[in-house]
Each structure stands twice: as C-alpha cells, then as structure tokens.
Amino acid sequence: MEFELLKTDPASKARAGKITTDHGVIETPIFMPVGTVASVKGVHQTELKQEINPDIILGNTYHLYLRPKTEILKKAGGLHKFMNWDRNILTDSGGYQVYSLSGRRKIKEEGVKFKSHIDGSYHVFTPENVMEIQREIGADIIMAFDECTPYPCDYNYAKRSMHMTHRWLDRCIKHFTETPPLYGYDQTLFPIVQGSTYKDLRRQSAEYIASRNAEGNAIGGLSVGEPAEEMYAMTEVVTEILPEEKPRYLMGVGTPINILENIALGIDMFDCVMPTRNARNGMLFTAHGTINIKNKKWADDFSPIDDMGITFVDTQYSKAYVRHLFTVNEMLGKQIATIHNLGFYLWLVREARKHILAGDFRAWKDMMVKQMDKRL
Ligand code: GUN
C-alpha cells in the first residue's frame, strides 16, 4: 500500500491524499460505506459503483466469521469475489462488535470469549485468530484486534485496557507477518489508538501506535456516546502525534458535521452505519440539514428529495412519494433513502477534497457546518 499526501489546508490540518493498493486508488478524505455482512444493506453493487462510487467499502470480521463463515469465503476465493466487488475492502477486527455484546463476553489477556448473537454458541477471538480470519476474508486493509472502551470509562480501566490493546497489537503484528496473504494481492494491517477520553492516555497510545510503523493508523474508542467536543479534543491530541505521511482512519464516525470537523483535524478515512441505518429509519441527510421523511409535512410535497443530490434517486423521486413508501413500509423507500444518504456522504468528502486542493477548505467547512445543522 502507498500513501501520497497531495496537499494540506493552510487554515486547518485537513489533507488531501491518495492511497494505492492492489485493488486501486482511494482518494482521501474518504467515507467508507459499511457492508457488514458482505452487502451494503439494500444497495446493488452496480448502483453502489455507478451512483455512489466509493473507492472502498467496509466489512465486519465478527459477522462474516459467524455467517457465511470463513470456510465459505475461502472456497469463494475471498470476500471480493464472493460479493462481486473488485475495489478496495477494509475489515474491522471484531474489537468493536464483540464489546457491544456486553453481558455476552469475557475479556482476558489471551483474548475474548463471546456468545454468538445468532445461536448463542461460544467462540473465542484472539489477536492471532483474528489475523487468520482477516487473511481468509481477504480485505485490502485489516484492523488490529483491540478493546473499544465504553463511555464514560474509569481512568484506571481505560489505562489497563489501552496497555492490553498495545500488547494485543504486538501479537497481531507478529502473527500477521508470519502468515502470508491467500489470494495473490497484498493486505495491510492498521493498528488502533485507544485511551478513552483522557488526553495523557491518548498521547501515550498514539506514541505507541506510531512507533509500530504501520502503513496507516486508526483511532478507536470514539463516537461511543461522548460529547462531540470531547471527540474533537481527542482527535486533535492524536493527530498531533500520528505520522503525517500515513493515512489516519477515525473509526465509527459520524454525522456529516463530525466528518467535516474531523477532516479539519487531519483525519483521512471514516466509516459509520449512520447514513445507511438512519436511511432505513427515514432520516435523509442533505447539504441544508436533515429531513425526517416520515413527517406528515412531506405528504403533499412533490419536490425532488434533494435537487442538489448526485444520485438518480435524488431527482427522480419526490418527498411525497418516498414518505408514502415509508408509511406503507415498502422496502423501496429504504433503498431510495440509503442510496441518497450514501451519495450525499460521498459527495461531502469529495467536495471537502476539492476545497482542500483549492486551498479554501476552512471557510467552506465553516459554512457547511452551519448550513447542515438544521432539521428541515
Ligand atoms: N469501530 C468504532 N470504534 C471502534 C474501535 O474502537 N475499535 C474497533 N475495532 N472498531 C471500531
């Protein structure tokens, strides 16, 4: 994997760059649509490419390991072939999903024992087997096995957990280095900074992660319920330390405003279920604010759902029609809303990139943040 830093904004820490892997180029800043179980929910791969056009999507180790199971993915020749996606894929390690199973998992130094949310069966994730599973899934970028601490988190717990995440990282690196890729293209491992909402721990963690010299670095443990200001403060501390010449990935973030603010702090990569999950609940993100399409006020509004939108659904369907689809629970409504939201998120990061390259990102970002902070 290669990363080329093309430009840094003069009035913020925003960057425009270019990642190149064996599955092609990823222009940064990038938003990665989430395809947890080998599908971006409700969107055909053709629509995803033609309308939304992301250079990379995300999959989840925890879910893919349980179903269809890695054995099937191996037989298929890896996740790219299985799901008919020839661009980049990143897989999260399960370090987040497993911790969301509170009450159904036990964390020890060796690894995490957890109970499947599907059939209640017991499984164990260790740094070593998570590397093997991600080799078998075959994503281009794979994530280290970490503990995502909850918010709020007691200082001593956060500190102990961070050190364990660091020890797990070393086990991940060792095992990753010892196991070859299976499908004829390279994979790269990103470590994850933890440290909850404590600046000193975040600094320590960022220094440790930077010292491992990976090709890219991630920040975890944010967007777990803390106020946005605390999230930005942590991002700021960490991006001061992580190397400039490597991409920085902020995991699980966030709203369109969170994304622009974190780009301004030097983040290059994002993923979040928000555009897809909220779409299925009728929430549409636009450059002028968010729309709850289920609201009665749209019942006879025949204007397009987003006349500035980049996808076909934005101009071909009216708000009244999409509201009707939600009212009668037609799955087409959720599909339209999902395509719209992902199109909007990808438009937003591409615009950010354009403004970084043009040198006027800061002013554009401030204007957009104000404009998007509305409920329509
Ligand atoms: N997704 C969102 N936050 C996290 C995190 O802290 N760790 C991992 N592995 N995934 C995440």
Side-chain angles (χ1 to χ4, degrees):
M1 194 195 93
E2 277 174 32
F3 179 61
E4 196 183 339
L5 188 57
L6 300 174
K7 178 139 185 190
T8 303
D9 181 51
S12 73
K13 292 200 288 176
R15 303 122 58 85
K18 194 173 129 185
I19 299 173
T20 309
T21 76
D22 289 341
H23 280 100
V25 166
I26 305 163
E27 296 195 329
T28 61
I30 182 72
F31 178 80
M32 305 179 278
V34 176
T36 299
V37 220
S39 136
V40 175
K41 290 188 199 306
V43 185
H44 288 285
Q45 276 73 330
T46 310
E47 290 169 332
L48 191 59
K49 267 192 186 171
Q50 288 177 1
E51 298 296 320
I52 300 154
N53 200 20
D55 297 325
I56 177 167
I57 60 171
L58 195 121
N60 281 109
T61 299
Y62 168 80
H63 295 87
L64 294 168
Y65 160 82
L66 291 175
R67 291 185 308 196
K69 299 190 184 352
T70 42
E71 181 193 321
I72 300 291
L73 294 173
K74 245 165 85 178
K75 271 194 194 164
L79 179 59
H80 291 83
K81 284 199 176 146
F82 182 63
M83 69 178 292
N84 184 34
W85 181 255
D86 58 6
R87 298 186 185 174
N88 284 283
I89 302 178
L90 178 150
T91 42
D92 194 2
S93 58
Y96 182 76
Q97 281 71 34
V98 162
Y99 302 110
S100 327
L101 297 171
S102 56
R104 285 193 298 199
R105 47 117 175 110
K106 202 164 202 159
I107 308 168
K108 291 194 173 154
E109 184 70 28
E110 174 54 21
V112 180
K113 184 175 176 186
F114 62 94
K115 206 171 164 185
S116 157
H117 72 287
I118 298 160
D119 60 4
S121 55
Y122 284 97
H123 304 261
V124 177
F125 273 173
T126 65
E128 289 79 14
N129 76 5
V130 164
M131 290 301 101
E132 268 162 45
I133 295 164
Q134 290 188 97
R135 282 291 196 199
E136 290 169 347
I137 295 171
D140 302 273
I141 301 174
I142 73 170
M143 301 307 298
F145 191 55
D146 62 331
E147 178 179 6
C148 175
T149 45
Y151 179 83
C153 183
D154 165 79
Y155 182 84
N156 287 323
Y157 186 94
K159 186 173 173 180
R160 261 187 283 122
S161 166
M162 175 196 79
H163 286 302
M164 187 179 67
T165 287
H166 296 169
R167 290 190 296 276
W168 283 2
L169 171 62
D170 289 342
R171 285 166 58 188
C172 284
I173 294 172
K174 182 166 187 294
H175 205 75
F176 177 70
T177 317
E178 288 168 359
T179 49
L182 298 176
Y183 307 116
Y185 51 84
D186 267 348
Q187 293 180 284
T188 189
L189 170 65
F190 279 22
I192 306 172
V193 172
Q194 291 290 344
S196 185
T197 47
Y198 303 103
K199 283 189 181 174
D200 64 319
L201 297 184
R202 285 282 170 186
R203 265 187 217 107
Q204 257 188 65
S205 188
E207 272 158 18
Y208 193 85
I209 275 21
S211 76
R212 302 295 93 184
N213 250 323
E215 293 182 294
N217 298 296
I219 308 173
L222 293 177
S223 209
V224 287
E226 77 284 1
E229 292 315 317
E230 270 195 85
M231 178 205 309
Y232 303 148
M234 295 305 119
T235 303
E236 193 165 14
V237 164
V238 172
T239 54
E240 278 296 317
I241 297 167
L242 292 181
E244 280 200 349
E245 68 284 4
K246 311 271 177 76
R248 303 170 182 145
Y249 164 30
L250 180 57
M251 309 188 78
V253 173
T255 65
I257 292 175
N258 293 157
I259 287 177
L260 293 190
E261 295 294 3
N262 283 295
I263 288 176
L265 296 169
I267 299 294
D268 308 297
M269 304 165 71
F270 298 89
D271 80 283
C272 191
V273 294
M274 191 172 272
T276 39
R277 182 177 292 164
N278 290 20
R280 299 195 297 278
N281 291 319
M283 183 190 257
L284 305 182
F285 295 97
T286 81
H288 300 284
T290 51
I291 295 177
N292 177 356
I293 203 65
K294 293 184 186 170
N295 202 309
K296 194 162 187 307
K297 76 192 258 198
W298 309 116
D300 61 353
D301 185 327
F302 303 105
S303 66
I305 56 176
D306 183 1
D307 52 13
M308 283 175 49
I310 61 160
T311 71
F312 73 97
V313 301
D314 293 314
T315 45
Q316 285 189 12
Y317 298 111
S318 69
K319 295 183 184 81
Y321 178 61
V322 178
R323 177 186 186 267
H324 160 74
L325 294 176
F326 272 91
T327 308
V328 295
N329 201 22
E330 275 293 325
M331 63 182 164
L332 184 60
K334 296 181 184 188
Q335 290 177 276
I336 291 171
T338 303
I339 292 175
H340 161 76
N341 277 354
L342 285 178
F344 175 69
Y345 266 64
L346 269 294
W347 171 84
L348 190 69
V349 293
R350 274 184 215 122
E351 280 301 296
R353 190 173 199 272
K354 270 192 222 162
H355 286 283
I356 296 166
L357 291 172
D360 64 354
F361 171 79
R362 181 61 197 264
W364 173 80
K365 186 269 290 177
D366 289 345
M367 183 271 293
M368 284 300 293
V369 164
K370 231 182 247 159
Q371 202 175 286
M372 291 190 300
D373 193 20
K374 283 189 205 116
R375 296 207 168 242
L376 300 177

